[in-house]
Amino acid sequence: MDRRQVIRSTLASLVAARTAIGGDADGAGAGEPFPPGFLWGAATAAYQVEGAWRQDGRGESVWDRFAHTPGKIKNGDNGDVACDSYHRFGDDIALLRQLNLKSYRYSIAWPRIQPVGRGPANAKGLDYYQRLTDAVLQAGMRPLATLYHWDLPQPLEDAGGWPNRDTAERFADYAGIVARALGDRIGHWCILNEPKTFTSAGYWQGTHAPGRTEPLAFLRATHTVNLAQGSAFRVLKAANPKLQAGSAFDVAPMFAATASYADLAAAERWHKFQNLWFVYPALRGHYPEGVLPADRQADLLDWHAGDEKIMRAPLDFIGLNYYSPWLVSDAPQGNGIPGLNTRGQWAKAPGVTPKTDIGWDIYPSGFHDIVLRMAYETGNLPIEITENGAACNIGPDARGAVHDAPRVAYLQSHLRELARAIRDGAPVRAYYCWSLMDNFEWAEGYSQRFGVVYVDFAHGQQRTIKDSGRWYATVAADNRVLPA
Ligand code: FCB
């Protein structure tokens, strides 16, 4: 690219970001049908729902260790029992059917397959996921399996964790075992869930397992994860060339805090670092330009010659998780990440927006904006919305009914924005609500309820479809979003 082209593309990106700020949601997408064959689903993750943490040879994960460490999780909660889905997955699948859903996104727990993160497969662990998958298929649903939703085997963390390059090879071995056992019946795979979140919360901010606060280790973790993603992609394809593989990336539109050039530039840097850091390595074989100085790649990331080939993977689709936007301002003092041009700070978005019970901003038009932006960034790869939803902690009334109107409003407004994004050209083919049911919400324990199905954790795990579940079932049946 010559200098003029560079300037033109930078300006185009900045204009795209500015235009996004003015997104107008009024009346958009109301009642519009989704494309024929659009897939409606719901999502869960192994550690958040399975329980049975020591059953049938399952090993310890970083989340078991973290949750069993006093002070890490709200109310001292842990995932030892969770929703007991290890024993009740038949009930979960019956609920999915009652909700008229055609796809279930669930994850496979690495420590059930390789209890110490390496070595031969644990037959009982594989058997569980075979039974679960067969039940999903028998119910007429499409499985979407996530290979890694954050449960790293603890012995691999003891050996250095994600900052250790060897973890990428361990992950490829694990992926191979799973792909050979399940690749014949699971046609759609998410390799990683939210690589940005598990590396930054786990190794930089320390709020998630394994709870480390080491900025350099965090950067190296991001690179190992990119190597792991590319390797696992090839391993999956080797097991079955027909299967489709992508990852679930958590994305957020980055709005500049002011119209100053410094803040706009900071928002663009942050878009690259947060939204593209695990996308470009796969699709283009390099990190987004302008963040990582070329002469620091080796020492900051532990980059080896040839890594560009390992991390490159022509993903078949891209999964997007959207909850909230960010507001970015320039931070001349830096933000503690060594060596990178990520100068900038991000904060909860427009203070004026309402929030869900977990404190996340509700900003539906941001959904439209980031879906379009990611369609552009990925050259219009098929998109599946792998997560979207709201924490709303309303419990049952005296009759046992759960009237969670704020969740209905959240889902409705976001789906209307998704319809608008599709109308504007985004190739979205699926939507998964987070979550099928209330579950273990990481550092928040059981205090935050994201389910369209209520789970009574204290009394026998009873499941009750909430008003939002009933409403979502009509969306799935009609393939359109009608007023609540
Ligand atoms: C996402 C996670 C998912 C869930 C939702 C609320 O970051 O991928 O497991 O906890 O947030």
Side-chain angles (χ1 to χ4, degrees), residues 3-47:
R3 202 178 134 68
R4 275 178 49 201
Q5 281 174 311
V6 171
I7 293 173
R8 217 177 307 137
S9 83
T10 309
L11 281 175
S13 306
L14 291 174
V15 168
R18 287 296 293 147
T19 313
I21 294 172
D24 175 10
D26 287 349
E32 232 169 287
F34 278 71
F38 191 85
L39 203 54
W40 296 97
T44 63
Y47 187 68

Short mmCIF file of all heavy atoms in Angstrom, two decimals, residues 3-47:
data_model
loop_
_atom_site.label_atom_id
_atom_site.label_comp_id
_atom_site.label_asym_id
_atom_site.label_seq_id
_atom_site.Cartn_x
_atom_site.Cartn_y
_atom_site.Cartn_z
N ARG A 3 1.39 5.46 0.49
CA ARG A 3 0.98 6.33 1.59
C ARG A 3 -0.45 6.86 1.41
O ARG A 3 -1.23 6.93 2.36
CB ARG A 3 1.97 7.47 1.70
CG ARG A 3 2.01 8.12 3.05
CD ARG A 3 3.05 9.21 3.11
NE ARG A 3 2.51 10.40 3.73
CZ ARG A 3 2.17 10.49 5.01
NH1 ARG A 3 2.34 9.47 5.79
NH2 ARG A 3 1.67 11.61 5.50
N ARG A 4 -0.77 7.20 0.17
CA ARG A 4 -2.12 7.73 -0.05
C ARG A 4 -3.20 6.69 0.22
O ARG A 4 -4.26 6.98 0.78
CB ARG A 4 -2.23 8.27 -1.49
CG ARG A 4 -1.73 9.71 -1.55
CD ARG A 4 -1.76 10.28 -2.95
NE ARG A 4 -3.04 10.08 -3.62
CZ ARG A 4 -3.16 10.13 -4.95
NH1 ARG A 4 -2.10 10.33 -5.71
NH2 ARG A 4 -4.33 9.97 -5.52
N GLN A 5 -2.88 5.45 -0.16
CA GLN A 5 -3.86 4.38 0.11
C GLN A 5 -4.03 4.18 1.62
O GLN A 5 -5.13 3.95 2.11
CB GLN A 5 -3.40 3.07 -0.51
CG GLN A 5 -3.66 2.99 -2.01
CD GLN A 5 -3.04 1.73 -2.57
OE1 GLN A 5 -1.86 1.43 -2.29
NE2 GLN A 5 -3.81 0.98 -3.33
N VAL A 6 -2.90 4.26 2.33
CA VAL A 6 -2.97 4.07 3.79
C VAL A 6 -3.86 5.15 4.39
O VAL A 6 -4.76 4.87 5.19
CB VAL A 6 -1.56 4.12 4.42
CG1 VAL A 6 -1.65 4.15 5.94
CG2 VAL A 6 -0.74 2.93 3.96
N ILE A 7 -3.62 6.39 3.98
CA ILE A 7 -4.41 7.50 4.53
C ILE A 7 -5.89 7.31 4.19
O ILE A 7 -6.78 7.46 5.03
CB ILE A 7 -3.90 8.86 4.01
CG1 ILE A 7 -2.50 9.11 4.57
CG2 ILE A 7 -4.84 9.99 4.39
CD1 ILE A 7 -1.80 10.31 4.02
N ARG A 8 -6.14 6.89 2.94
CA ARG A 8 -7.53 6.71 2.53
C ARG A 8 -8.22 5.62 3.38
O ARG A 8 -9.34 5.78 3.84
CB ARG A 8 -7.62 6.37 1.05
CG ARG A 8 -8.82 7.03 0.42
CD ARG A 8 -8.93 6.79 -1.08
NE ARG A 8 -7.74 7.13 -1.81
CZ ARG A 8 -7.22 6.37 -2.79
NH1 ARG A 8 -7.79 5.26 -3.14
NH2 ARG A 8 -6.12 6.72 -3.43
N SER A 9 -7.49 4.51 3.61
CA SER A 9 -8.15 3.43 4.36
C SER A 9 -8.32 3.82 5.83
O SER A 9 -9.30 3.46 6.46
CB SER A 9 -7.40 2.11 4.20
OG SER A 9 -6.34 2.03 5.09
N THR A 10 -7.36 4.58 6.36
CA THR A 10 -7.53 5.03 7.75
C THR A 10 -8.74 5.94 7.86
O THR A 10 -9.57 5.79 8.77
CB THR A 10 -6.27 5.80 8.21
OG1 THR A 10 -5.14 5.00 7.92
CG2 THR A 10 -6.33 6.11 9.69
N LEU A 11 -8.86 6.85 6.92
CA LEU A 11 -10.01 7.76 6.97
C LEU A 11 -11.31 6.99 6.84
O LEU A 11 -12.28 7.26 7.54
CB LEU A 11 -9.91 8.80 5.84
CG LEU A 11 -8.94 9.96 6.11
CD1 LEU A 11 -8.84 10.85 4.89
CD2 LEU A 11 -9.40 10.75 7.33
N ALA A 12 -11.31 5.99 5.95
CA ALA A 12 -12.53 5.20 5.76
C ALA A 12 -12.93 4.52 7.07
O ALA A 12 -14.10 4.50 7.45
CB ALA A 12 -12.33 4.17 4.67
N SER A 13 -11.93 4.00 7.80
CA SER A 13 -12.23 3.34 9.07
C SER A 13 -12.79 4.34 10.07
O SER A 13 -13.74 4.06 10.80
CB SER A 13 -10.98 2.72 9.69
OG SER A 13 -10.37 1.88 8.78
N LEU A 14 -12.17 5.52 10.12
CA LEU A 14 -12.63 6.51 11.08
C LEU A 14 -14.04 6.97 10.75
O LEU A 14 -14.89 7.13 11.63
CB LEU A 14 -11.67 7.71 11.11
CG LEU A 14 -10.30 7.39 11.71
CD1 LEU A 14 -9.36 8.58 11.57
CD2 LEU A 14 -10.42 7.00 13.17
N VAL A 15 -14.31 7.15 9.47
CA VAL A 15 -15.65 7.56 9.08
C VAL A 15 -16.65 6.47 9.46
O VAL A 15 -17.73 6.75 9.98
CB VAL A 15 -15.72 7.87 7.57
CG1 VAL A 15 -17.16 8.03 7.10
CG2 VAL A 15 -14.94 9.16 7.27
N ALA A 16 -16.24 5.22 9.24
CA ALA A 16 -17.13 4.11 9.62
C ALA A 16 -17.45 4.19 11.10
O ALA A 16 -18.60 4.03 11.52
CB ALA A 16 -16.48 2.77 9.28
N ALA A 17 -16.44 4.46 11.91
CA ALA A 17 -16.67 4.54 13.36
C ALA A 17 -17.58 5.71 13.71
O ALA A 17 -18.49 5.59 14.52
CB ALA A 17 -15.34 4.68 14.09
N ARG A 18 -17.39 6.85 13.06
CA ARG A 18 -18.22 8.02 13.34
C ARG A 18 -19.67 7.75 12.96
O ARG A 18 -20.60 8.10 13.68
CB ARG A 18 -17.72 9.24 12.55
CG ARG A 18 -16.45 9.84 13.06
CD ARG A 18 -16.60 10.41 14.46
NE ARG A 18 -17.47 11.57 14.49
CZ ARG A 18 -18.27 11.88 15.50
NH1 ARG A 18 -18.31 11.11 16.54
NH2 ARG A 18 -19.00 12.96 15.47
N THR A 19 -19.84 7.15 11.79
CA THR A 19 -21.20 6.90 11.31
C THR A 19 -21.92 5.99 12.30
O THR A 19 -23.10 6.18 12.57
CB THR A 19 -21.16 6.23 9.93
OG1 THR A 19 -20.23 6.96 9.13
CG2 THR A 19 -22.51 6.24 9.27
N ALA A 20 -21.18 5.05 12.83
CA ALA A 20 -21.79 4.10 13.76
C ALA A 20 -22.40 4.81 14.96
O ALA A 20 -23.43 4.42 15.47
CB ALA A 20 -20.76 3.07 14.22
N ILE A 21 -21.76 5.91 15.40
CA ILE A 21 -22.24 6.60 16.59
C ILE A 21 -23.66 7.09 16.39
O ILE A 21 -24.48 7.07 17.30
CB ILE A 21 -21.32 7.80 16.91
CG1 ILE A 21 -19.93 7.28 17.30
CG2 ILE A 21 -21.89 8.64 18.04
CD1 ILE A 21 -18.91 8.36 17.45
N GLY A 22 -23.97 7.50 15.17
CA GLY A 22 -25.28 8.08 14.93
C GLY A 22 -26.36 7.07 14.60
O GLY A 22 -27.44 7.45 14.21
N GLY A 23 -26.08 5.78 14.71
CA GLY A 23 -27.05 4.75 14.33
C GLY A 23 -28.44 5.03 14.88
O GLY A 23 -28.62 5.36 16.04
N ASP A 24 -29.42 4.90 14.03
CA ASP A 24 -30.78 5.25 14.44
C ASP A 24 -31.62 3.99 14.50
O ASP A 24 -31.82 3.31 13.50
CB ASP A 24 -31.35 6.24 13.41
CG ASP A 24 -32.80 6.57 13.70
OD1 ASP A 24 -33.29 6.18 14.78
OD2 ASP A 24 -33.43 7.19 12.85
N ALA A 25 -32.12 3.69 15.68
CA ALA A 25 -32.80 2.42 15.86
C ALA A 25 -34.31 2.53 15.74
O ALA A 25 -35.01 1.52 15.71
CB ALA A 25 -32.45 1.85 17.23
N ASP A 26 -34.83 3.75 15.68
CA ASP A 26 -36.27 3.91 15.81
C ASP A 26 -37.08 3.10 14.80
O ASP A 26 -36.97 3.29 13.61
CB ASP A 26 -36.65 5.39 15.67
CG ASP A 26 -36.23 6.14 16.92
OD1 ASP A 26 -35.87 5.45 17.90
OD2 ASP A 26 -36.25 7.37 16.90
N GLY A 27 -37.87 2.20 15.33
CA GLY A 27 -38.78 1.46 14.46
C GLY A 27 -38.12 0.43 13.57
O GLY A 27 -38.81 -0.26 12.82
N ALA A 28 -36.79 0.33 13.62
CA ALA A 28 -36.11 -0.55 12.67
C ALA A 28 -36.40 -2.01 12.98
O ALA A 28 -36.46 -2.42 14.13
CB ALA A 28 -34.62 -0.30 12.71
N GLY A 29 -36.55 -2.78 11.94
CA GLY A 29 -36.59 -4.23 12.10
C GLY A 29 -37.88 -4.77 12.71
O GLY A 29 -38.01 -5.97 12.92
N ALA A 30 -38.86 -3.93 12.99
CA ALA A 30 -40.06 -4.42 13.66
C ALA A 30 -40.85 -5.32 12.72
O ALA A 30 -41.21 -4.93 11.63
CB ALA A 30 -40.91 -3.25 14.10
N GLY A 31 -41.12 -6.53 13.17
CA GLY A 31 -41.97 -7.43 12.41
C GLY A 31 -41.36 -8.00 11.15
O GLY A 31 -41.99 -8.79 10.46
N GLU A 32 -40.15 -7.58 10.86
CA GLU A 32 -39.52 -8.05 9.62
C GLU A 32 -39.18 -9.53 9.71
O GLU A 32 -38.64 -9.97 10.72
CB GLU A 32 -38.19 -7.32 9.48
CG GLU A 32 -37.99 -6.65 8.17
CD GLU A 32 -36.77 -5.74 8.26
OE1 GLU A 32 -36.86 -4.70 8.91
OE2 GLU A 32 -35.75 -6.14 7.72
N PRO A 33 -39.47 -10.31 8.67
CA PRO A 33 -39.06 -11.71 8.75
C PRO A 33 -37.55 -11.84 8.62
O PRO A 33 -36.92 -11.05 7.91
CB PRO A 33 -39.75 -12.35 7.55
CG PRO A 33 -40.16 -11.25 6.66
CD PRO A 33 -40.19 -9.98 7.44
N PHE A 34 -37.01 -12.82 9.30
CA PHE A 34 -35.59 -13.15 9.11
C PHE A 34 -35.47 -14.00 7.85
O PHE A 34 -36.47 -14.52 7.35
CB PHE A 34 -35.05 -13.88 10.35
CG PHE A 34 -34.67 -12.92 11.45
CD1 PHE A 34 -35.64 -12.23 12.16
CD2 PHE A 34 -33.34 -12.69 11.78
CE1 PHE A 34 -35.30 -11.31 13.16
CE2 PHE A 34 -32.99 -11.78 12.78
CZ PHE A 34 -33.97 -11.10 13.47
N PRO A 35 -34.26 -14.13 7.31
CA PRO A 35 -34.13 -14.90 6.07
C PRO A 35 -34.66 -16.32 6.24
O PRO A 35 -34.57 -16.89 7.33
CB PRO A 35 -32.62 -14.92 5.82
CG PRO A 35 -32.08 -13.76 6.61
CD PRO A 35 -32.99 -13.59 7.78
N PRO A 36 -35.21 -16.92 5.19
CA PRO A 36 -35.69 -18.31 5.29
C PRO A 36 -34.56 -19.21 5.77
O PRO A 36 -33.42 -19.04 5.34
CB PRO A 36 -36.09 -18.66 3.85
CG PRO A 36 -36.15 -17.37 3.10
CD PRO A 36 -35.32 -16.36 3.83
N GLY A 37 -34.89 -20.13 6.64
CA GLY A 37 -33.87 -21.07 7.12
C GLY A 37 -32.99 -20.50 8.22
O GLY A 37 -32.07 -21.16 8.68
N PHE A 38 -33.28 -19.28 8.66
CA PHE A 38 -32.50 -18.69 9.75
C PHE A 38 -32.60 -19.61 10.97
O PHE A 38 -33.67 -20.12 11.29
CB PHE A 38 -33.04 -17.30 10.09
CG PHE A 38 -32.15 -16.51 11.00
CD1 PHE A 38 -31.10 -15.76 10.50
CD2 PHE A 38 -32.36 -16.52 12.38
CE1 PHE A 38 -30.27 -15.03 11.34
CE2 PHE A 38 -31.53 -15.80 13.23
CZ PHE A 38 -30.48 -15.05 12.71
N LEU A 39 -31.45 -19.79 11.64
CA LEU A 39 -31.38 -20.80 12.70
C LEU A 39 -31.49 -20.14 14.07
O LEU A 39 -30.68 -19.27 14.42
CB LEU A 39 -30.03 -21.51 12.57
CG LEU A 39 -29.87 -22.90 13.14
CD1 LEU A 39 -30.92 -23.85 12.61
CD2 LEU A 39 -28.47 -23.40 12.78
N TRP A 40 -32.48 -20.56 14.85
CA TRP A 40 -32.67 -20.01 16.20
C TRP A 40 -32.17 -21.02 17.21
O TRP A 40 -32.52 -22.20 17.14
CB TRP A 40 -34.14 -19.70 16.44
CG TRP A 40 -34.66 -18.63 15.53
CD1 TRP A 40 -35.34 -18.80 14.36
CD2 TRP A 40 -34.47 -17.21 15.68
NE1 TRP A 40 -35.62 -17.58 13.78
CE2 TRP A 40 -35.09 -16.58 14.57
CE3 TRP A 40 -33.84 -16.41 16.64
CZ2 TRP A 40 -35.10 -15.20 14.40
CZ3 TRP A 40 -33.87 -15.03 16.47
CH2 TRP A 40 -34.48 -14.44 15.36
N GLY A 41 -31.37 -20.56 18.17
CA GLY A 41 -30.81 -21.49 19.14
C GLY A 41 -30.61 -20.86 20.51
O GLY A 41 -30.96 -19.70 20.74
N ALA A 42 -30.04 -21.64 21.39
CA ALA A 42 -29.65 -21.14 22.72
C ALA A 42 -28.31 -21.77 23.08
O ALA A 42 -27.96 -22.84 22.58
CB ALA A 42 -30.71 -21.48 23.76
N ALA A 43 -27.57 -21.08 23.95
CA ALA A 43 -26.20 -21.50 24.26
C ALA A 43 -26.01 -21.74 25.75
O ALA A 43 -26.68 -21.14 26.59
CB ALA A 43 -25.23 -20.41 23.79
N THR A 44 -25.07 -22.65 26.03
CA THR A 44 -24.57 -22.87 27.40
C THR A 44 -23.08 -23.18 27.29
O THR A 44 -22.54 -23.26 26.18
CB THR A 44 -25.25 -24.07 28.10
OG1 THR A 44 -24.92 -25.28 27.37
CG2 THR A 44 -26.76 -23.93 28.20
N ALA A 45 -22.43 -23.38 28.42
CA ALA A 45 -21.02 -23.80 28.42
C ALA A 45 -20.82 -24.82 29.53
O ALA A 45 -21.47 -24.75 30.58
CB ALA A 45 -20.11 -22.61 28.63
N ALA A 46 -19.88 -25.74 29.31
CA ALA A 46 -19.71 -26.89 30.19
C ALA A 46 -19.60 -26.50 31.67
O ALA A 46 -20.40 -26.94 32.50
CB ALA A 46 -18.49 -27.70 29.76
N TYR A 47 -18.61 -25.66 32.00
CA TYR A 47 -18.40 -25.40 33.42
C TYR A 47 -19.60 -24.68 34.04
O TYR A 47 -19.88 -24.83 35.23
CB TYR A 47 -17.12 -24.59 33.66
CG TYR A 47 -16.82 -24.46 35.14
CD1 TYR A 47 -16.45 -25.59 35.89
CD2 TYR A 47 -16.98 -23.26 35.82
CE1 TYR A 47 -16.22 -25.50 37.26
CE2 TYR A 47 -16.74 -23.15 37.18
CZ TYR A 47 -16.37 -24.28 37.90
OH TYR A 47 -16.14 -24.20 39.25
#
